[in-house]
Structures are given as C-alpha cells and as structure tokens.
C-alpha cells in the first residue's frame, strides 16, 4: 500500500522519471503499446464510481488498474492494481498523489520542448498535491531552474509548500502574494488549480505557460501566443483562440514551438490515452523494487 509520501518517493527518482518521459513520448508518437479505453462503472448501492483501466505490462506482468472514487463508504479516492490473469490485488495507491504525478510528467516532457533557453525562474500557481508533483517534475526536467515563486489562495499553505520544496530540491523557493508580478517575472509559469486564474498577457515575451487548469484567454490586443495541447482537441474551441497545435507535432520535429523568440507558448495539459495505466503499473513496480510502502495482508489470516 502506497501513501502519498510513498508515491512521491517512488516517482521522484531521476532514472524512473526519465523512463516515464520516454513512455509519454512513445505514446505521443504512436510507438507505445496499443492500450484500450478506460471503462467507467457506477455502483448504485454504494454511489461509488469505478474506472477500470486497460491492460498494461509492468514488473508483475500483465495487469490493470481500477480507480475507486469517493462514495457513501469510500472516504478518499484510491487506485488498485490487479493482475490481469486472475484479478489478484497487487497494490493500493493514494489516488490524489498519483493524479498529481500523472499530470505532471507529461508537462515535464512538454517543458523540455517548449521552455525558453535556460529558464531560471518558475512561477508556480497552486499549493496542493498537483503543485507539489509539478514542481518536482519541472525541477528534474529543467535543470537550469534556480528559483521558484509559489502563489496560492491560502498563503499559509503556499508558505508551507515553499519551505518543503526548498528542503527537497535545494532551490530558492518563496511564497508570493502578487500573482501578476510572479507571472511577469517567470520564464516558466505552471498553473495547477486552487489559485487566481493567470492571464496569458501577464507573461513576458518568450515565456512558457504550462496550463493544468483553467486559464483566461488572452485579450484581443495581447502578445503573440502559440497554443499547444497534449492531445488534439475533440471539438470546436469554446472561445476565439486558434486551434492548438498537438505536442506530438513538435516532438516529431514537424513543427516549432515558436514562430519567433518573443512568442508566448501556452501549453494545455490533458488525458493521454494509455498513460494512466502505464503510470500506475510502473509506479507500483518501482515502489516494489525499492521496498517503498506498507505490506498489506489479505485473507483469513489478516488482522
């Protein structure tokens, strides 16, 4: 069983993270395993929602993940990894921490392709689980980062995150109460929810905005913005922005992130098909190898 701290220990590993960047890149280029769709299931008696993932290969062989979202008898979301052959339970994972890492790793890969040269200042908007994993991933993906300014709705929580991040990463990390100034000064801005919306026109020329939440569209007379998405849009845009360029086009070398050095890049995260199953199987397998987590006994002899 992996707690949120166990998930951090398993994922915040240089070699492991590089392997996961490669997994995301292969999926974007269509070179990854052909994984099926996720299947939602509603259990009316408990009001618990299940999401059954496709089969994936990991340390334990062919397996699949089942996500249990809160219901009448389920206080917090969790993810279970089951062996595909007989349904044996391989592990339980705190879903909140896992969700943060699942969203952050594709953003880390995107940052390598989209960030301006040698970025040094990260503006981090949010102070919850997604912000923590996003910061750790970007610290690894962009080694030139030296300073982080954290903006959150709860100043005390943002201050606590800044202190913990400084200890974990060795970077200069501080809490900021000025959202607009933070965005204007940063080379890279990451929005992770739970904070004031960032306006694209606040950013400096050439900056990168990693958008994992709702971000206000730029004003009509704002700067040149290149919109890039993790996955192609499924329908017409809800606003007047041009259709975003899929990240795969840049990864494959068929497009450039900027038309000019002054363009702001607005990257929009999303759900990449197959990535969730790979992340769960790889994370639990890596935790098993590193002896991270708490063994759980099942059956008649259980306490």
């Amino acid at each position: 069983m992996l707690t949120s701290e166990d998930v951090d220990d398993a994922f915040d590993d240089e070699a492991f993270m590089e392997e996961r960047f490669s997994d995301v890149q292969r999926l974007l280029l269509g070179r990854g395993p052909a994984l099926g769709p996720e299947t939602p299931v509603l259990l009316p008696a408990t009001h618990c929602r299940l999401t059954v993932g496709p089969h994936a290969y990991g340390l334990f062989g062919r397996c699949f993940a089942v996500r249990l979202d809160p219901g009448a008898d389920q206080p917090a979301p969790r993810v279970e990894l089951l062996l595909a052959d007989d349904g044996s339970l391989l592990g339980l994972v705190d879903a909140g921490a896992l969700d943060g890492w699942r969203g952050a790793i594709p953003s880390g890969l995107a940052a390598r392709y989209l960030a301006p040269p040698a970025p040094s200042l990260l503006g981090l908007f949010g102070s919850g689980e997604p912000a923590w994993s996003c910061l750790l991933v970007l610290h690894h993906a962009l080694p030139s980062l030296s300073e982080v300014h954290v903006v959150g709705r709860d100043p005390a929580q943002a201050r606590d995150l800044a202190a913990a991040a400084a200890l974990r990463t060795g970077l200069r990390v501080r809490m900021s109460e000025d959202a607009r100034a933070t965005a204007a000064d940063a080379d890279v801005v990451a929005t992770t929810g739970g904070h004031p919306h960032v306006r694209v026109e606040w950013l400096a020329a050439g900056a990168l905005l990693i958008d994992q939440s709702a971000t206000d569209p730029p004003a009509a007379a704002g700067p040149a913005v290149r919109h890039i998405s993790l996955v192609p849009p499924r329908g017409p845009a809800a606003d007047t922005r041009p259709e975003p360029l899929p990240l795969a086009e840049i990864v494959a070398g068929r497009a450039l992130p900027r038309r000019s050095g002054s363009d702001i890049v607005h990257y929009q995260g999303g759900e990449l098909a197959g990535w969730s199953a790979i992340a769960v199987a790889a994370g639990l397998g890596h935790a098993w190898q590193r002896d991270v987590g708490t063994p759980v006994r099942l059956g008649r002899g259980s306490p």
Side-chain angles (χ1 to χ4, degrees):
M1 179 175 65
L2 302 184
T3 65
S4 57
E5 292 79 10
D6 295 332
V7 174
D8 290 342
D9 288 341
F11 276 79
D12 190 19
D13 175 85
E14 184 174 356
F16 177 82
M17 212 178 295
E18 285 296 334
E19 291 173 359
R20 304 293 73 79
F21 285 159
S22 296
D23 287 337
V24 173
Q25 183 162 300
R26 283 192 290 268
L27 289 172
L28 286 172
L29 297 177
R31 298 171 185 165
L35 301 177
E38 295 186 339
T39 305
V41 179
L42 178 63
L43 303 180
T46 63
H47 302 288
C48 181
R49 291 180 300 154
L50 303 182
T51 304
V52 181
H55 290 174
Y57 285 89
L59 178 66
F60 311 103
R62 202 164 60 104
C63 52
F64 63 96
V66 177
R67 181 188 176 100
L68 293 87
D69 284 302
D73 59 350
Q74 180 66 38
R78 72 175 187 263
V79 174
E80 299 180 356
L81 188 68
L82 307 177
L83 195 63
D85 291 342
D86 59 7
S88 299
L89 179 62
L90 299 173
L92 305 172
V93 188
D94 175 79
L98 184 63
D99 288 346
W101 284 97
R102 283 195 308 107
I105 288 178
S107 293
L109 177 69
R112 285 189 166 172
Y113 283 94
L114 306 178
S120 61
L121 177 58
L122 169 66
L124 182 65
F125 284 69
S127 54
E129 292 273 14
W132 175 253
S133 48
C134 184
L135 189 154
L136 295 180
V137 168
L138 292 178
H139 174 234
H140 173 72
L142 302 173
S144 61
L145 288 177
S146 59
E147 190 170 356
V148 182
H149 295 174
V150 181
V151 179
R153 291 193 187 279
D154 183 343
Q157 187 180 32
R159 193 175 293 108
D160 289 344
L161 183 143
L167 289 174
R168 183 97 177 207
T169 65
L171 300 174
R172 298 190 301 275
V173 188
R174 68 174 180 85
M175 187 270 290
S176 171
E177 295 183 343
D178 191 332
R180 184 162 188 162
T182 297
D185 292 340
D187 302 301
V188 177
V189 172
T191 69
T192 62
H195 53 75
H197 286 181
V198 175
R199 296 196 65 86
V200 177
E201 59 265 30
W202 292 354
L203 277 68
L208 165 65
L209 171 60
I210 297 173
D211 191 352
Q212 295 183 186
S213 62
T215 295
D216 292 341
V225 180
R226 190 75 182 272
H227 297 283
I228 297 170
S229 62
L230 176 63
V231 293
R234 295 183 179 180
D239 51 50
T240 57
R241 288 180 295 180
E243 185 172 303
L245 178 71
L247 180 62
E249 293 296 298
I250 295 170
V251 173
R254 293 189 290 265
L256 295 174
R258 291 170 176 79
R259 299 180 183 88
S260 71
S262 62
D263 282 353
I264 293 170
V265 174
H266 178 194
Y267 165 76
Q268 181 70 58
E271 288 293 330
L272 182 62
W275 163 237
S276 178
I278 292 172
V280 175
L284 266 166
H286 190 59
W288 181 283
Q289 289 179 315
R290 295 184 59 190
D291 196 22
V292 172
T294 303
V296 178
R297 290 187 176 186
L298 299 175
R300 295 180 184 273
S302 301

